[in-house]
Amino acid sequence: DAEITQSPRHKITETGRQVTLACHQTWNHNNMFWYRQDLGHGLRLIHYSYGVQDTNKGEVSDGYSVSRSNTEDLPLTLESAASSQTSVYFCASSDTRATGELFFGEGSRLTVL
Amino acid sequence: AQSVTQPDIHITVSEGASLELRCNYSYGATPYLFWYVQSPGQGLQLLLKYFSGDTLVQGIKGFEAEFKRSQSSFNLRKPSVHWSDAAEYFCAVAGRGSQGNLIFGKGTKLSVKP
């Protein structure tokens, strides 16, 4: 079965360190998204990609970057982690031909000390 | 600005009782509308979606939602709640052609009393 997997599922890091969260999907979807979920804020879009070599900023992109070198992967990098980036991060994908349905990974919980 | 409002942060219902979760949206045109459910420690799963046509849509797990254009609402309903329905529920909107770029509400947490 097709799926979308995130790793690591849990990570603790220190302020100032670089962190990369991996996202891999086997749906062969063109579109991939990164959201963060925080209490009281719901899900907020960080970055998204509509295909290889395409990346776009979302609502809360400061401090984050992504790159899309193939269809399957969209890693999310925190260049210099801050305590405000402690959150649960969700990767999602969607089919260009479909009408907006997102398929989500199980999330990565990041704690920045 | 485009937005989604879920007025209820937390709702508690008794098992077997009916349920209605509210969702209001602000959008320039009729958007695509979605309800997602998130169980603890899990990602989000699509419950149902509205694109066009019949304004009452059926979803998985016995849920349904009704699109009311005049009220800019898309409320989620279930006639009889089961303990396994305890979860967080998110309403979302997307523009036609947005290719999955959804705007989410802040969620409503549902607790179910035995």
Side-chain angles (χ1 to χ4, degrees):
Chain A
D1 285 347
E3 60 181 1
I4 181 166
T5 55
Q6 295 183 230
S7 62
R9 295 291 312 280
H10 302 271
K11 185 170 181 66
I12 300 174
T13 191
E14 295 177 342
T15 302
R17 290 191 180 268
Q18 184 181 79
V19 176
T20 296
L21 305 179
C23 176
H24 179 81
Q25 54 101 359
T26 58
W27 290 99
N28 199 32
H29 286 164
N30 283 327
N31 307 331
M32 295 184 73
F33 306 81
W34 274 105
Y35 288 88
R36 61 176 288 174
Q37 183 178 29
D38 304 285
L39 199 61
H41 291 278
L43 282 89
R44 294 180 290 175
L45 184 63
I46 305 172
H47 281 287
Y48 59 102
S49 168
Y50 286 153
V52 177
Q53 302 301 330
D54 176 74
T55 61
N56 305 278
K57 294 181 178 180
E59 177 188 358
V60 291
S61 60
D62 287 349
Y64 303 94
S65 64
V66 294
S67 62
R68 187 89 180 270
S69 58
N70 59 52
T71 300
E72 296 78 18
D73 299 289
L74 187 70
L76 177 71
T77 297
L78 288 68
E79 301 293 344
S80 177
S83 58
S84 60
Q85 294 177 308
T86 293
S87 185
V88 181
Y89 292 86
F90 286 97
C91 182
S93 69
S94 72
D95 188 338
T96 307
R97 297 166 295 174
T99 41
E101 178 179 353
L102 289 177
F103 294 81
F104 281 85
E106 294 190 333
S108 295
R109 181 178 295 275
L110 176 67
T111 302
V112 183
L113 301 176
Chain B
Q2 302 155 2
S3 64
V4 178
T5 301
Q6 295 180 245
D8 304 305
I9 296 173
H10 190 186
I11 285 182
T12 300
V13 300
S14 297
E15 191 167 18
S18 63
L19 170 70
E20 182 170 31
L21 301 182
R22 296 182 290 165
C23 173
N24 292 96
Y25 66 89
S26 173
Y27 209 85
T30 300
Y32 296 144
L33 296 157
F34 306 84
W35 275 100
Y36 282 83
V37 60
Q38 183 182 30
S39 298
Q42 300 294 313
L44 280 71
Q45 180 186 18
L46 182 69
L47 276 178
L48 47 78
K49 57 193 176 187
Y50 172 79
F51 296 149
S52 64
D54 192 347
T55 56
L56 184 64
V57 294
Q58 303 297 320
I60 62 172
K61 305 184 181 186
F63 285 91
E64 66 178 27
E66 186 173 12
F67 168 57
K68 293 186 177 180
R69 184 192 308 273
S70 62
Q71 298 177 19
S72 296
S73 69
F74 189 57
N75 294 348
L76 182 70
R77 300 194 294 247
K78 187 170 185 178
S80 178
V81 169
H82 188 262
W83 65 265
S84 60
D85 293 324
E88 190 152 22
Y89 292 81
F90 292 91
C91 182
V93 302
R96 293 168 187 269
S98 64
Q99 300 189 64
N101 196 339
L102 271 58
I103 300 170
F104 285 87
K106 294 184 178 181
T108 298
K109 184 176 181 180
L110 174 66
S111 297
V112 180
K113 293 190 298 184

